[in-house]
Amino acid sequence: MSGLLAASDLDQTLVFSERSAGADVSTLVPVEEYDGRTISWVTPTAWGLLGELVASGAFVPVTTRTPEQYRRIRWPHHPPRTAVCANGGVVLVDGAADEAWTAEVRTRLRDCAPLERVHAEVARAVGRAHAAVPGSAEPAVRDVPGLFCYAVLRDGQRPVLEGPALGDLTALLDGWGYAVSLQGRKLYAVPRPLTKSAAVAEVVRRGGFTGFAAAGDSLLDVDLLVAAREAVRPGHGELLRTGWEHPAARLLGASGAAAGEEIARWLLGVVAPPGAPV
């Protein structure tokens, strides 16, 4: 294999919820079901482009989702052979976790604070947000065992958490070796050595690629975008809200599902330039 690998974040980069799609979802293609309802979509054109991307053999989805959450995504024809899940903590090959990479990740995380200690601080922070919004549901705090934790906020709680409260939590966990990212209703606390770019670099090495191109919208995608040979980011998302910029990551004009379509087209152009066989 030669040339670049195309690596892309999923949520709000390639696939979109009804809230983030910026379009009437009745005109879109459903790509994820959960609890008996559709929760993610792409444009019809993006659906076709994703099929070509997967067929190229040079595309890897890169997500903070757990493997179980990732497997809910529906792909045209068949899923990509390789996927990076859990923010780089798991590399799936033909649907199974690669044991060698799992062992490598354990080694990289040895110097970070214990996950249960981080979980407790995240729970305290979102608990205060819960208390500040009378009548709101209790936020859920969940672990991806051995890797990271995240909280699912309820209605009205995110604005309370933003600002000084989030800054205090970020500063505390930074000293423990963790990065904090607030994406939509989810608050993540992820060990700094646990990166999407490290896992993608391993996929590049194994596949004999010369490097990779990348797309992403959140702070947890920064390392991926900066390490890429070429990178794009949509006209929405956490990176745009926080004012993050980097000369290596081109900001697209489109937002929502339209940006997902533009990103899919760009990725396909990277791995299969016009006129090249797919």
Side-chain angles (χ1 to χ4, degrees), residues 1 4-6 51-60 78 80-82 207 209 271 278:
M1 185 69 68
L4 293 178
L5 174 74
E52 293 184 66
L53 264 175
V54 174
S56 76
F59 167 67
V60 58
H78 59 83
R81 181 166 188 260
T82 305
F209 295 95
V271 301
V278 175

Side-chain angles (χ1 to χ4, degrees), residues 144-162:
V144 178
L147 296 176
F148 62 89
C149 69
Y150 64 98
V152 182
L153 300 170
R154 309 307 183 187
D155 288 346
Q157 294 170 2
R158 175 178 169 135
V160 176
L161 186 63
E162 292 177 315

Side-chain angles (χ1 to χ4, degrees), residues 103-117:
E104 172 65 20
V105 168
R106 282 198 296 266
T107 299
R108 292 178 181 222
L109 300 188
R110 283 186 303 198
D111 294 333
C112 295
L115 184 58
E116 57 268 24
R117 188 178 173 196

Side-chain angles (χ1 to χ4, degrees), residues 215-237:
D217 74 291
S218 81
L219 289 172
L220 290 176
D221 296 318
V222 164
D223 67 283
L224 185 71
L225 299 176
V226 171
R229 297 278 187 88
E230 305 175 44
V232 296
R233 56 192 182 98
H236 63 250

